[in-house]
Amino acid sequence: MRQAVNTATLVSMMRKPSPSTLEAAANAFISRRRGRPAIRPAPSAGRAAERVLKPLAKQFGVGTDQLRENWEEIVGPRLAQWSSPETIRRSGGVFTLVIRARGPAGAILQAESRRILERIATFAGQRAPTRLRIVQGMSAARPAVRPSTRMNTSQSASQLSETVETSPEARLLSALDRFGRAIKARDER
């Protein structure tokens, strides 16, 4: 009998208590007054832009931004540092890629124009430019790498000797410093 009582109390403990009328009224009030659901996050801007730009890219071809991003793979690292694509012009049904080149890179680009056009065609597809126009000038997108070490004449000889191998200005100042010391030593004799 003792065991039956314990089982009965356990069963009654495991059961959910029946809701009272007060709890039922509170639940009904809360469900009626519940606010709006949480706002969903904004859709991805990249996906939305892709849905708009993909058909436009098929219709009008690639832009200069895509060419600029992959320019080193198209023309090679040697020519990429001396040139950059500027615009794509359309006259009639012919697309012309305008390339800004510095110095003799323009002649090299002109000589390799057939290979460059083939690579652009494989990258861009059927709406790729079919002609190149090379403009020589100094305002290419990527400037040439220049030494960043500037030397002042007031720097000591020890500082000059440390940077002799790194920059042309340092080599020049080092040579001028040695020349000046040699003249002073000659005059003191």
Side-chain angles (χ1 to χ4, degrees):
M1 186 165 186
R2 194 171 203 199
Q3 196 175 33
V5 172
N6 284 340
T7 313
T9 55
L10 284 176
V11 170
S12 67
M13 291 167 114
M14 289 163 56
R15 278 191 226 159
K16 236 180 185 180
S18 61
S20 68
T21 56
L22 184 60
E23 285 180 11
N27 284 336
F29 177 79
I30 289 173
S31 65
R32 281 192 314 258
R33 304 277 187 213
R34 191 165 299 220
R36 284 185 264 159
I39 299 172
R40 287 189 292 166
S44 171
R47 287 185 189 153
E50 184 180 346
R51 273 188 252 129
V52 171
L53 293 177
K54 205 170 198 178
L56 291 175
K58 285 181 182 176
Q59 183 179 358
F60 297 108
V62 297
T64 54
D65 291 334
Q66 289 98 0
L67 287 176
R68 214 173 276 128
E69 288 173 7
N70 299 300
W71 190 242
E72 188 171 323
E73 295 150 11
I74 293 170
V75 297
R78 181 178 56 125
L79 288 175
Q81 71 180 4
W82 296 99
S83 64
S84 69
E86 268 194 2
T87 61
I88 296 177
R89 294 188 180 154
R90 181 180 178 197
S91 59
V94 178
F95 292 98
T96 304
L97 174 64
V98 179
I99 300 173
R100 173 80 57 178
R102 272 187 269 123
I108 296 170
L109 285 168
Q110 190 68 37
E112 295 186 10
S113 62
R114 179 173 290 166
R115 183 185 63 88
I116 292 170
L117 285 172
E118 288 172 0
R119 287 190 174 188
I120 290 173
T122 58
F123 175 73
Q126 65 184 24
R127 292 286 188 158
T130 54
R131 291 186 183 170
L132 291 182
R133 179 170 177 245
I134 298 165
V135 179
Q136 289 186 324
M138 294 300 293
S139 63
R142 283 189 264 179
V145 178
R146 295 187 180 213
S148 61
T149 309
R150 290 243 174 220
M151 301 299 292
N152 294 332
T153 55
S154 62
Q155 290 181 327
S156 68
S158 64
Q159 288 174 331
L160 286 174
S161 64
E162 289 175 6
T163 58
V164 167
E165 291 83 28
T166 59
S167 76
E169 291 108 356
R171 280 187 263 155
L172 176 65
L173 289 175
S174 176
L176 289 173
D177 187 41
R178 281 183 279 142
F179 180 70
R181 279 186 274 140
I183 290 176
K184 285 180 185 177
R186 186 187 70 190
D187 291 338
E188 289 176 359
R189 287 185 213 169

